[in-house]
Amino acid sequence: MDTQQLIDRLEERAAEIPVGPPPVALMRTRARRHRQGRVAILASAAAVAAIAGGLAWQGSGGADDGSRTPIASDAPADPDTPPDGYRYVGIGDVVAAVPQGWGTNKTDCGTPQEDTVVIDQGVTCLALVPRPADVDSLAIQPTFEGLDTSGWTVTEVAGQRALRSPLSRQDGVVRQTVVVPGADVAFVAESSSTAGASVVGDLLDGITVLQQHTTVPAFQDLGYDADPASMVDSYVERLAELGLAAEVTEGNGRGLDAGTVLETDPAVGSVLAPGDTVRVVVAR
């Protein structure tokens, strides 16, 4: 049988076989399933590759060898960070949050003349100076013997026992005090504003205890030593006890004995980390 005869015979056989319309719907369904299967396989492969890549990255560039670039979430949150717009001021590790815009020791003969923290003032005049309206203040001072806390409310500050006085009002000034006996520190909040009770309450509610930091210690009490010239040595020792370093420089003492501490930078009550340096200016 030659080639042409074979072709003719095949055509005859094909004509005898019944043929219906093409199964288009079935063909589309199978094609769709085929594509979905390929997508699923590719997605699974990509996921496996990503996991494997991640494991390889962690193994070859993790925190242990320092080759990975640190990101912000790696750093632990600082527990001693004050609320936004505030700064911490205090004695030792007990501090209060005050607005950033407040000054320090903005007083006239001990009476606040603008919103201020009052701390380590030293000797003040005895003249009676009126307090302006709308002035808020927080005085931070060591407690003293004979302080009558009978009738005060027992509370706590960051786990430490504390005492809170009743709210008082006198001459348009609202006043309230919190004492932390274990830290030998008292916080006296005052306000001459119309919202004085709320202001005072918020100030005292902002008292807390530092976990990793301390504060620049006071120095005014050292001025009463028998030998003022040794004041700087005593203060440097006080800094060392808190884990702080000192950089001593000389300034105009305005007639004070040599060695008398004039000021510090940062100011008394400011929060520092152990090992930080305090610049101590003394009379030459």
Side-chain angles (χ1 to χ4, degrees):
M1 181 181 295
D2 58 20
T3 302
Q4 185 59 46
Q5 290 177 328
L6 178 60
I7 293 173
D8 293 341
R9 180 66 58 87
L10 290 173
E11 289 179 348
E12 291 174 359
R13 297 290 297 172
E16 297 174 358
I17 299 174
V19 178
V24 176
L26 178 62
M27 293 169 61
R28 288 176 177 173
T29 299
R30 289 180 175 176
R32 184 167 57 250
R33 288 177 180 172
H34 178 68
R35 288 195 300 271
Q36 290 173 345
R38 290 189 61 189
V39 171
I41 292 173
L42 291 174
S44 299
V48 170
I51 294 173
L55 292 174
W57 170 77
Q58 291 179 14
S60 63
D64 290 341
D65 61 12
S67 61
R68 181 170 65 88
T69 302
I71 58 178
S73 59
D74 291 336
D78 185 352
D80 297 336
T81 300
D84 289 343
Y86 287 77
R87 62 186 172 99
Y88 280 143
V89 184
I91 294 177
D93 60 355
V94 183
V95 295
V98 299
Q100 283 280 10
W102 278 26
T104 299
N105 294 335
K106 300 297 184 180
T107 66
D108 185 358
C109 288
T111 302
Q113 299 299 294
E114 57 185 85
D115 296 345
T116 186
V117 174
V118 181
I119 184 170
D120 200 37
Q121 275 196 115
V123 179
T124 60
C125 67
L126 299 178
L128 183 60
V129 176
R131 182 187 187 109
D134 297 323
V135 169
D136 306 322
S137 64
L138 183 68
I140 307 173
Q141 59 199 35
T143 56
F144 56 89
E145 292 184 8
L147 177 64
D148 183 10
T149 59
S150 59
W152 289 26
T153 302
V154 178
T155 182
E156 72 171 36
V157 170
Q160 292 196 33
R161 179 176 178 271
L163 300 169
R164 190 163 184 152
S165 74
L167 197 69
S168 67
R169 301 174 187 268
Q170 185 176 0
D171 299 328
V173 178
V174 178
R175 175 188 175 104
Q176 193 170 34
T177 301
V178 165
V179 171
V180 184
D184 189 32
V185 58
F187 296 83
V188 183
E190 295 181 329
S191 176
S192 56
S193 69
T194 55
S198 176
V199 170
V200 164
D202 289 344
L203 287 170
L204 297 180
D205 288 342
I207 301 172
T208 189
V209 178
L210 300 174
Q211 297 183 36
Q212 301 174 359
H213 296 72
T214 187
T215 56
V216 178
F219 60 82
Q220 294 289 353
D221 58 313
L222 296 173
Y224 298 100
D225 290 347
D227 180 13
S230 68
M231 184 179 180
V232 63
D233 296 329
S234 298
Y235 189 64
V236 169
E237 182 179 347
R238 183 173 288 183
L239 290 171
E241 290 173 352
L242 295 173
L244 301 173
E247 177 188 336
V248 180
T249 61
E250 293 185 339
N252 183 2
R254 298 177 294 277
L256 296 175
D257 293 330
T260 301
V261 177
L262 305 176
E263 62 179 333
T264 65
D265 182 19
V268 169
S270 301
V271 175
L272 293 178
D276 284 349
T277 298
V278 177
R279 188 172 69 92
V280 184
V281 181
V282 304
R284 63 172 63 92

